[in-house]
Amino acid sequence: MNDRFARAGAIARVDLAHEPDFALGRIEVRPSLRELAGDGFRETIDRRVMQVLVALARAKGKVVSRDDLIESCWDGVIVGDEAINRCISRLRKAAEASGNAFAIETLSRVGYRLKVAHPVSLEVEPKTDAFSAATPVSSSAGTAPVGEIAPPAQINQAALPALTAASHRSGRSLWFSAGAILLAAGIAAAYFGRSTLWPGRPASDAIAANSVAVLPFVNMSGEAARDIVSDGISEELLDELSNDSALRVAARTSSFAFKGKNTDVKQIGRILSVHSVLEGSIREDGEHIRISAQLINTADGFRIWSATYDRQMTGMLPLEDDIARAIAAAITHQILPVSRLSAGRPTSINPTIYRKYLEGQHDFATRDEAGVTRAIVLFQEVTTAQPDFAAGFAALGHALVNHAEDHPDRKELLPQADSALAHALDLDPDNIEALGAKVDMALHQQDWRTAAADAKRMRSISPNSSAVLHEMFRYYQYLGFPDRALEAAEGAALLDPLSIVDHFNVTSALIHIARFGEAVSAAQTALRLAPDQSYLQAVLCTAYAHSGESEKARAIAFLFSKHHDQPDESGCLFDIAVGEGRLDEARTINNAFAAEYPDGPMDAVGFADNYAIMGDAHSAVLWMARAYKLRDSQLFQIPFDRSIPQSVLTDAGWQTLLQQPLFKGWQSAHDRLAGELGTGG
């Protein structure tokens, strides 16, 4: 057996350039090319996703922990849970596209296991690699542990169809659509390894004294499953502090990136740009819980404040408020108003039910199909057992909205979501999660008045919350205020400096208003967090192409070509052609994509935007009409793309479309918001 595969299972580093090919049922895996192929199926996946697949395959049916994946695929560099969740979700989609040749099993709070479906009949060519010693393959169908993987089959490469990639997108059709902005929400991750990552961060004495980061509390109970409780309390404390307008609190994505890492608080202060760090530990003993917390000055590492709390599990919810008040007082040097318990919160909750709620939040954070489905079931159990728990109803509504957006055919989910969110707000009118989910649902349903009312309410409650700024970014983009959207995205990035999605949103907002030079810098910041993400390379290509740096954009296009990423390569070449004024070539590229969807658009708004940028008003209006028929809320953003020539915006066909009922309804909402903001339109 190859020595690399004999070393401690999945712990050995995955080097794709030197990994042997292997088979998963009927599918051949080619790590060096990042390809899955077989039975008329072929797909190229991201480098990191392929590394995770190889690491799982090495384990040969055994469970691989998240820590092992980080060690083998990320070289031990700190990453957030979102990075691993994204890879697992992408592998599951590839498995489904392959005809379920393999599957990824999640063992909650333990890790992942790869299972492979047996081929019905295959002639195989033995190979000297990790899988050559595997158990012979049975001819019966079914799912087997990876210990029974067969060597790769002899596949006729000439018979394979050309790569069509169901995710085709052309140039700016990805970067400017709200769908693309939301796409990144499930990809946010923390990626850093040294203090020089953020050389531009201010010195400690320049950092605002009211800034704080809440690190994940350490679970001292000796059981990994109890991390759910320690993480849940940390998140609740973070939310409570974020609701205080006197404080600037680092967002969860960034602060939780330090979980399990022995990082010096001074370095944390520099990376997150915070004056102090809250850290602590939690120990459970039956129904008793002890929480120790301390606030540390990141400038000198000295303790500002500390306290220990002994409570019963039934008193956890008010305990979180007690701690939040004490920390806020230590930071602001004044006592906050007494009894700042959130409205509608029960004074006690069954510990088993609360644990289910935390488990549901953990599963929902994956944003993959299985995780969201499990979360909905758990939240339904929580709300049934604890009908006075507002957070449970808010989480249920949020998960249902997310599921409905991924499954447009499940229309019955939205009334269920609306009912859950309404009940959450009856119990707690200030619940940010419920308000945010309502805004998201209203924007997609083009219920502009509801979106406006809830967005205003949400911002009045917690203006410094990264969650609120995330939602305000989308709200302003949908309503046609791109400059305000940029401000919100930049505010979220300031609170969450290790969040890929926030820096991606900043980049997208800058490109939307044609500030391409600044977009280059924003995209580069995102790439420092996740150097292997192709969608970040693609948006950087857009910024380069439109800021006069065509050669740098071509280098990215060459990289896509080298990795057989035809959709991103074509999108990059489209942007280069537009940036250099070669509109006939750009039109040829866009036409080739558009021709693949004669009966219905995959991304009608994106194609419309591309044609508009090229000055082709006629084609742009045709694609906008398709988007209008589908009631795609993203189409209202197109007139605010500042790369579109004025001649297109004054075209008769365009003006006729703007007189349609949906546009008129949107225009009224836009004008009302303009009056509130004092922008004049």
Side-chain angles (χ1 to χ4, degrees):
M1 180 179 289
N2 191 308
D3 288 340
R4 287 184 298 105
F5 287 89
R7 287 191 297 151
I11 300 298
R13 180 179 179 273
V14 176
D15 182 358
L16 296 182
H18 300 93
E19 297 294 335
D21 295 350
F22 59 92
L24 298 178
R26 292 182 177 274
I27 301 301
E28 183 174 7
V29 181
R30 304 165 186 151
S32 61
L33 297 177
R34 301 185 293 111
E35 286 183 349
L36 307 176
D39 282 358
F41 163 80
R42 185 180 180 187
E43 185 166 346
T44 301
I45 59 179
D46 288 344
R47 177 174 68 89
R48 197 74 73 187
V49 177
M50 178 60 78
Q51 285 180 300
V52 170
L53 179 58
V54 172
L56 293 172
R58 286 179 178 181
K60 301 173 68 174
K62 296 181 180 179
V63 178
V64 181
S65 71
R66 284 176 170 251
D67 287 342
D68 286 350
L69 287 177
I70 291 173
E71 188 67 28
S72 59
C73 304
W74 280 270
D75 299 331
V77 175
I78 297 174
V79 297
D81 287 349
E82 295 90 343
I84 299 176
N85 294 339
R86 182 195 69 82
C87 291
I88 296 298
S89 177
R90 182 64 187 84
L91 284 176
R92 285 174 173 151
K93 290 180 181 178
E96 183 179 356
S98 72
N100 297 312
F102 62 95
I104 310 294
E105 179 184 11
T106 299
L107 285 84
S108 183
R109 310 304 296 172
V110 179
Y112 303 95
R113 178 165 56 191
L114 179 65
K115 291 188 174 183
V116 181
H118 286 181
V120 177
S121 62
L122 274 182
E123 292 185 5
V124 299
E125 177 185 358
K127 295 181 71 173
T128 306
D129 60 21
F131 305 99
S132 61
T135 305
V137 176
S138 165
S139 62
S140 62
T143 301
V146 180
E148 300 177 8
I149 293 179
Q154 291 179 326
I155 298 176
N156 180 1
Q157 297 296 327
L160 291 175
L163 177 64
T164 58
S167 61
H168 271 357
R169 66 262 187 186
S170 175
R172 299 160 68 96
S173 64
L174 170 66
W175 322 138
F176 299 139
S177 69
I181 293 167
L182 297 176
L183 170 70
I187 308 177
Y191 187 102
F192 63 91
R194 57 189 186 277
S195 60
T196 56
L197 177 65
W198 300 101
R201 289 287 171 197
S204 296
D205 58 0
I207 296 174
N210 64 342
S211 57
V212 62
V214 180
L215 301 185
F217 277 34
V218 177
N219 166 26
M220 302 293 290
S221 303
E223 297 179 26
R226 293 179 183 253
D227 278 0
I228 294 175
V229 175
S230 57
D231 287 356
I233 289 179
S234 303
E235 291 178 5
E236 290 291 337
L237 292 173
L238 192 154
D239 290 342
E240 285 291 334
L241 290 170
S242 296
N243 287 339
D244 189 331
S245 60
L247 302 178
R248 187 175 71 77
V249 185
R252 181 195 187 280
T253 304
S254 292
S255 59
F256 269 59
F258 297 93
K259 182 177 180 178
K261 306 298 179 182
N262 188 25
T263 308
D264 181 74
V265 293
K266 295 180 182 179
Q267 182 179 351
I268 294 174
R270 288 193 296 270
I271 293 173
L272 301 185
S273 189
V274 293
H275 179 269
S276 55
V277 166
L278 172 68
E279 59 183 19
S281 63
I282 296 177
R283 185 184 300 276
E284 289 183 68
D285 183 9
E287 294 301 309
H288 181 78
I289 183 171
R290 167 169 288 186
I291 301 179
S292 298
Q294 57 181 353
L295 195 67
I296 306 297
N297 188 324
T298 59
D300 52 25
F302 284 103
R303 181 186 303 168
I304 300 172
W305 163 91
S306 66
T308 299
Y309 299 83
D310 288 294
R311 295 286 195 281
Q312 296 300 309
M313 289 286 283
T314 53
M316 286 170 58
L317 299 181
L319 169 61
E320 293 159 3
D321 291 288
D322 291 343
I323 298 173
R325 285 200 306 271
I327 296 166
I331 296 173
T332 61
H333 303 291
Q334 60 183 357
I335 302 298
L336 296 180
V338 178
S339 187
R340 207 172 62 91
L341 283 173
S342 297
R345 243 188 194 183
T347 57
S348 65
I349 186 170
N350 184 295
T352 302
I353 299 304
Y354 190 62
R355 190 181 297 275
K356 279 188 177 182
Y357 165 73
L358 296 176
E359 289 175 354
Q361 288 286 24
H362 177 268
D363 287 335
F364 184 40
T366 66
R367 291 303 196 270
D368 63 21
E369 179 82 13
V372 173
T373 301
R374 286 194 304 271
I376 290 173
V377 172
L378 287 168
F379 293 146
Q380 287 172 334
E381 293 175 0
V382 168
T383 53
T384 298
Q386 192 84 30
D388 59 345
F389 186 33
F393 285 96
L396 174 59
H398 190 186
L400 287 169
V401 169
N402 180 273
H403 204 51
E405 290 173 359
D406 289 341
H407 299 81
D409 56 321
R410 298 287 308 278
K411 294 181 180 179
E412 78 281 1
L413 295 176
L414 289 178
Q416 296 176 30
D418 188 59
S419 176
L421 295 173
H423 191 64
L425 292 170
D426 283 342
L427 293 169
D428 179 6
D430 293 348
N431 190 288
I432 293 297
E433 183 174 15
L435 288 168
K438 278 195 68 185
V439 171
D440 194 33
M441 183 165 62
L443 290 174
H444 283 86
Q445 294 179 322
Q446 296 170 25
D447 181 358
W448 308 118
R449 287 189 178 275
T450 297
D454 289 333
K456 186 176 182 179
R457 170 75 178 156
M458 186 173 58
R459 187 165 188 182
S460 69
I461 295 168
S462 187
N464 292 337
S465 165
S466 63
V468 171
L469 290 170
H470 276 299
E471 205 61 54
M472 294 307 297
F473 165 70
R474 290 199 294 269
Y475 175 65
Y476 287 136
Q477 284 283 69
Y478 274 105
L479 268 296
F481 295 89
D483 294 300
R484 294 282 183 149
L486 174 60
E487 290 177 9
E490 289 177 331
L494 180 63
L495 291 171
D496 207 351
L498 299 182
S499 169
I500 295 173
V501 66
D502 287 318
H503 294 292
F504 175 75
N505 287 348
V506 171
T507 306
S508 300
L510 286 166
I511 291 177
H512 195 57
I513 59 177
R515 288 163 56 177
F516 298 110
E518 295 169 72
V520 167
S521 178
Q524 290 172 336
T525 297
L527 278 165
R528 284 200 294 272
L529 297 172
D532 62 332
Q533 294 299 323
S534 61
Y535 76 96
L536 295 178
Q537 292 281 3
V539 76
L540 178 58
C541 174
T542 300
Y544 275 144
H546 293 272
S547 60
E549 299 189 77
S550 296
E551 291 307 311
K552 292 181 179 179
R554 284 193 177 87
I556 296 176
F558 175 77
L559 181 66
F560 289 143
S561 174
K562 182 179 178 181
H563 291 291
H564 309 285
D565 189 345
Q566 188 263 335
D568 278 329
E569 179 190 3
S570 295
C572 190
L573 292 174
F574 169 86
D575 282 316
I576 294 170
V578 172
E580 294 182 341
R582 294 180 285 106
L583 298 185
D584 287 341
E585 182 179 335
R587 186 172 292 104
T588 298
I589 295 171
N590 205 50
N591 286 346
F593 278 109
E596 297 182 25
Y597 307 96
D599 300 320
M602 178 199 72
D603 186 1
V605 172
F607 289 131
D609 199 37
N610 284 353
Y611 283 118
I613 291 165
M614 292 184 289
D616 186 347
H618 175 73
S619 298
V621 170
L622 289 178
W623 281 95
M624 284 190 71
R626 292 188 179 189
Y628 184 93
K629 185 176 181 180
L630 294 173
R631 298 180 65 92
D632 189 338
S633 299
Q634 301 172 40
L635 64 87
F636 302 113
Q637 300 178 32
I638 291 182
F640 298 92
D641 184 342
R642 293 178 188 168
S643 296
I644 296 176
Q646 189 63 30
S647 59
V648 173
L649 299 178
T650 56
D651 179 83
W654 189 291
Q655 291 297 316
T656 298
L657 188 59
L658 295 180
Q659 298 307 309
Q660 297 303 306
L662 291 183
F663 269 102
K664 284 190 172 182
W666 173 88
Q667 187 66 52
S668 295
H670 170 86
D671 292 345
R672 284 195 299 271
L673 182 56
E676 293 176 11
L677 298 175
T679 63

